[in-house]
């Protein structure tokens, strides 16, 4: 009961038989969406990115734990998480950067590349919704530091067709690191 | 012969040369020096009580979690007798005993040569008992894991290597009177809402910890967004806002062992919620108008029962909302305005030293056990959104501390001083019933200066 309230809505399963073929028109449209989204975020077009979100957005990034191989399914923690956002809180994050002069954690902004790959698309029970899995490798460069923070993760998205356009309704980000190696998640993944 | 307290660094600098007790300045060098770091691990982290987590993280017998006590990995494990803290290093050949983050087991078996230990650290045995792999020179009693001394307070787990040193109560000193109002106010106590967030910052542990000692001033500038678009935006101040000074008034408490807190005034909030002058309301009426974080109307009788009249006066007037427990713990029990009313957030942090230029930020989010589930979920979401890894408040802190750490290395800048010269001049506010040193009014530097005074005391103490 408590766990259900603390955790986000579970994602639908990825059913192999419902997979869209790579190169099919809908697959290509979704790949375009992910590439365009990465371009917007890399170039700080955050207000424009906000328009891609549905009002019922759920956006979360579980914690990870190092557990034994036999307990691999317990390596994901969805009670306390690194991110657990609604549409309202996500837009507050956007506004903090676009509408203030003091979002110091990202001002000056990081130089970020979001490299999207391994994209797989599944039809779901809902005709207007697709489940999309992608790998994301983020490189983040701040100030004159001679190193990059690397943020490798898998994303599980629900993309919904709304009045002809694709929108992001749900995103779960599974980070590889137990102890996150970048000083904050002040950038959008 | 040179006294221990006059121990010098390799270049001849004495520790006392790094801090000017008259002008309240600290040399920047302290924020990155590797020699000082090694001394801190011995003289501070091996001597004081250190916060490791919460007992609700390991509720069942056999549950364990791996934490850091200063620069050492420790096994924090429960058995039928309670919680035990032992060095997570095999006394045989020095392998890490547990390489996991947590789990449940009646026996911790080292993967290297198979030596096994109970959750309390006692040596069970080595493989092939009849061949006596561990030899005959030492008894089994002598081959257990090195054990730390443990104290549980309000569910918080503290441990120290200083087996003969001061008791935990002595270490808390006057701070306990205030901490009781946060951690011991309800009948069932608190619980974690999940395991802690953890992330690495390339900064010296003291950059985070001296700030945690109730730095009020930084909120005005570093966290200004709170009043520009965030929860402290005033109606009608669209985008302009930016003034957080009303939040900077109250009392600041600083105690002998550098546990400090900002007790931020609730009068304005209570006046807004009730339309009445707070001085005309009873303690009970004020608690009902604005209960502390995680507390519901049903739980108010527990507070009235568990806290003294003087403690109740403080928590309905100027409750401790943010502060630290020396050396590396922080609490935030804050009242956040939201469109749906004031929502409390309860969080604890540890800033774990990971070398002179690196720290691990560990963030626990809690609620009272009796907080209704829906409110727990709301508190958790708000906590994640404002604090820790992605927190809109604390991401600004995590981006600041690395710059201080880098600056502490410059040939010139390492001699620049950190200054703590804004001082309270009037003493305790009238009618303040709590112990410790207390400042009244707008935030000052006294709490942080106390942090450095105690750092200096420990770093120069005869060992």
């Amino acid at each position: 009961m408590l766990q259900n309230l603390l955790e986000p809505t579970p994602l639908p399963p990825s059913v192999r038989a419902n997979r869209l073929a790579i190169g099919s028109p809908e697959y290509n449209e979704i790949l375009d969406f992910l590439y365009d989204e990465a371009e917007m975020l890399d170039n700080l077009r955050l207000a424009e990115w906000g328009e891609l979100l549905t009002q019922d957005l759920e956006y979360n990034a579980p914690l990870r734990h190092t557990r034994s191989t036999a307990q691999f399914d317990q390596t994901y923690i969805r009670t306390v998480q690194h991110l657990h956002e609604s549409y309202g809180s996500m837009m507050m994050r956007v506004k903090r950067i676009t509408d203030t002069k003091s979002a110091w954690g990202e001002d000056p902004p990081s130089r970020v590349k979001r490299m999207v790959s391994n994209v797989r698309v599944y039809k779901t029970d809902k005709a207007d919704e697709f489940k999309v899995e992608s790998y994301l490798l983020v490189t983040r460069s701040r100030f004159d530091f001679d190193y990059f923070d690397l943020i490798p993760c898998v994303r599980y998205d629900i993309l919904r067709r709304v009045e002809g356009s694709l929108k992001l309704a749900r995103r779960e980000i599974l980070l590889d690191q137990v102890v996150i190696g970048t000083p904050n998640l002040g950038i959008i993944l | 012969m040179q006294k221990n307290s006059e121990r010098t660094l390799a270049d001849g600098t004495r520790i006392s040369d790094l801090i000017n007790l008259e002008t309240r300045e600290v040399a920047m060098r302290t924020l990155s020096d590797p020699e000082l770091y090694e001394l801190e691990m011995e003289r501070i982290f091996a001597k004081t009580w250190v916060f490791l987590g919460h007992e609700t993280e390991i509720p069942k017998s056999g549950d364990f979690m791996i934490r850091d006590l200063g620069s050492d990995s420790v096994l924090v494990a429960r058995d039928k007798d309670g919680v035990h803290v032992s060095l997570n290093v095999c006394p045989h050949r020095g392998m890490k005993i547990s390489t996991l983050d947590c789990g449940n087991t009646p026996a911790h078996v080292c993967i290297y040569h198979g030596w096994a230990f109970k959750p309390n650290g006692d040596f069970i045995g080595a493989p092939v008992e009849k061949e006596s792999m561990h030899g005959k020179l030492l008894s089994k009693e002598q081959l257990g894991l090195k054990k730390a001394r443990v104290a549980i307070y309000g569910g918080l787990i503290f441990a120290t290597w200083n087996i003969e040193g001061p008791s935990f109560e002595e270490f808390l000193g006057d701070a306990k009177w205030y901490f009781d109002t946060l951690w011991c106010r309800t009948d069932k106590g608190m619980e974690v809402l999940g395991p802690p967030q953890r992330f690495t910052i390339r900064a010296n542990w003291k950059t985070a910890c001296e700030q945690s000692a109730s730095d009020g001033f930084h909120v005005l500038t570093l966290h200004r967004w709170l009043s520009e678009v965030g929860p402290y935006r005033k109606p009608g101040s669209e985008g302009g806002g930016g003034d957080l000074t009303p939040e900077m008034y109250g009392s600041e408490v600083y105690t002998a062992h550098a546990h400090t807190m900002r007790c931020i005034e609730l009068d304005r909030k209570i006046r807004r919620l009730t339309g009445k002058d707070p001085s005309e309301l009873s303690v009970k009426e004020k608690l009902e108008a604005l209960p502390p974080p995680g507390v519901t109307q049903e739980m108010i009788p527990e507070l009235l029962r568990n806290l003294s009249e003087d403690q109740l006066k403080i928590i309905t007037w100027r409750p401790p909302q943010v502060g630290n427990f020396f050396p590396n713990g922080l609490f935030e029990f804050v009242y956040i305005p939201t469109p749906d009313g004031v929502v409390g957030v309860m969080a604890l942090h540890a800033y774990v030293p990971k070398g002179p230029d690196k720290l691990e930020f560990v963030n626990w989010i809690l609620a009272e056990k009796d907080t209704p589930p829906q409110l727990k979920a709301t508190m958790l979401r708000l906590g994640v959104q404002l604090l820790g890894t992605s927190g809109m408040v604390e991401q600004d802190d995590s981006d600041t501390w690395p710059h201080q750490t880098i600056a502490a290395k410059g040939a010139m800048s390492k001699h620049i001083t950190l200054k703590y010269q804004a001082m309270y001049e009037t003493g305790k506010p009238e009618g303040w019933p709590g112990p410790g040193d207390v400042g009244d009014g707008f935030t000052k530097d006294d709490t942080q200066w106390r942090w450095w005074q105690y750092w200096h005391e420990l770093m120069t103490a005869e060992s």
Side-chain angles (χ1 to χ4, degrees), chain B residues 64-289:
Chain B
F64 72 92
M65 56 190 179
I66 302 304
R67 291 288 147 82
D68 296 289
L69 207 176
S71 50
D72 291 301
S73 174
V74 290
L75 171 68
V76 182
R78 184 186 286 277
D79 65 11
K80 61 181 181 6
D81 299 323
V83 173
H84 307 273
V85 176
S86 319
L87 198 60
N88 185 22
V89 177
C90 186
H92 179 220
R93 297 286 161 78
M95 172 62 182
K96 195 174 185 180
I97 300 277
S98 179
T99 55
L100 311 177
D101 285 322
C102 56
N104 181 292
T105 181
H108 295 269
V109 181
C110 180
I111 62 167
Y112 197 6
H113 300 94
W115 287 30
F117 305 88
K118 292 181 188 168
N120 70 3
D122 286 350
F123 181 49
I124 298 171
V128 204
E129 181 80 24
K130 70 182 167 70
E131 298 297 342
S132 195
M133 176 177 160
H134 53 87
K136 291 170 183 165
L137 295 176
L138 296 178
S139 69
K140 278 192 169 183
E141 286 67 36
Q142 291 170 295
L143 290 172
L145 303 179
K146 183 178 170 60
K147 296 181 186 184
R149 200 172 149 203
V150 180
I152 310 278
Y153 167 57
L156 281 71
I157 302 167
F158 290 83
T160 181
W161 298 119
N162 196 354
I163 306 300
E164 305 296 329
S167 71
F168 180 69
E169 296 237 332
E170 283 173 73
F171 176 64
L172 279 192
D174 288 335
K176 184 176 183 300
W177 190 88
Y178 298 94
F179 290 163
D180 283 348
T181 71
L182 300 173
W183 304 327
C184 306
R185 61 193 178 192
T186 59
D187 291 352
K188 289 199 189 146
M190 307 181 296
E191 66 180 7
V192 294
L193 295 179
Q197 298 175 335
R198 297 164 65 194
F199 55 106
T200 298
I201 301 173
R202 295 185 196 219
N204 183 274
W205 70 278
K206 295 190 296 304
T207 58
C209 290
E210 66 88 49
Q211 187 210 73
S212 76
S214 305
D215 180 357
F217 287 118
H218 86 286
V219 179
L220 293 176
T221 44
L222 193 66
H223 303 314
R224 190 172 60 204
W225 77 275
L226 282 168
S227 58
E228 292 179 298
V229 297
Y232 292 88
R233 188 174 69 84
K234 300 289 174 293
S237 66
E238 195 63 45
D243 183 16
L244 283 162
T245 53
E247 307 299 327
M248 296 301 117
Y249 287 90
S251 302
E252 289 179 345
V253 177
Y254 41 117
T255 64
H257 297 150
H259 314 302
T260 78
M261 60 207 86
R262 294 182 55 222
C263 303
I264 303 166
E265 191 155 300
L266 296 182
D267 283 358
R268 283 181 308 112
K269 283 193 175 74
I270 289 175
R271 195 174 284 121
R272 193 172 63 243
L273 288 165
T274 62
K276 291 183 183 151
D277 182 347
S279 67
E280 291 165 7
L281 297 172
S282 70
V283 159
K284 187 160 172 282
E285 286 169 328
K286 285 196 265 193
L287 281 174
E288 285 166 358

Side-chain angles (χ1 to χ4, degrees), chain A residues 5-6 63 66 79 81-84 92-93 96 100 102 104-105 142-143 147 179-180 183-186, chain B residues 101 193 197-200 202 221-222 225 228-229 373-374 380-381 385 389-390 392 395-396 398-399 403:
Chain A
L5 281 169
L6 297 183
L63 303 185
T66 302
T79 48
Q81 305 184 77
H82 291 298
L83 284 156
H84 194 160
M92 176 62 83
R93 290 178 185 276
R96 193 181 104 92
T100 78
S102 46
W104 304 119
R142 277 192 79 53
F143 306 108
Y147 55 83
V179 183
I180 304 297
N184 58 59
L185 290 180
Chain B
D101 285 322
L193 295 179
Q197 298 175 335
R198 297 164 65 194
F199 55 106
T200 298
R202 295 185 196 219
T221 44
L222 193 66
W225 77 275
E228 292 179 298
V229 297
Q374 190 61 57
L380 174 60
R381 305 268 195 288
Q385 285 155 18
T389 326
S390 69
M392 285 184 278
Q395 58 180 265
D396 296 331
S398 64
D399 209 48
H403 291 296

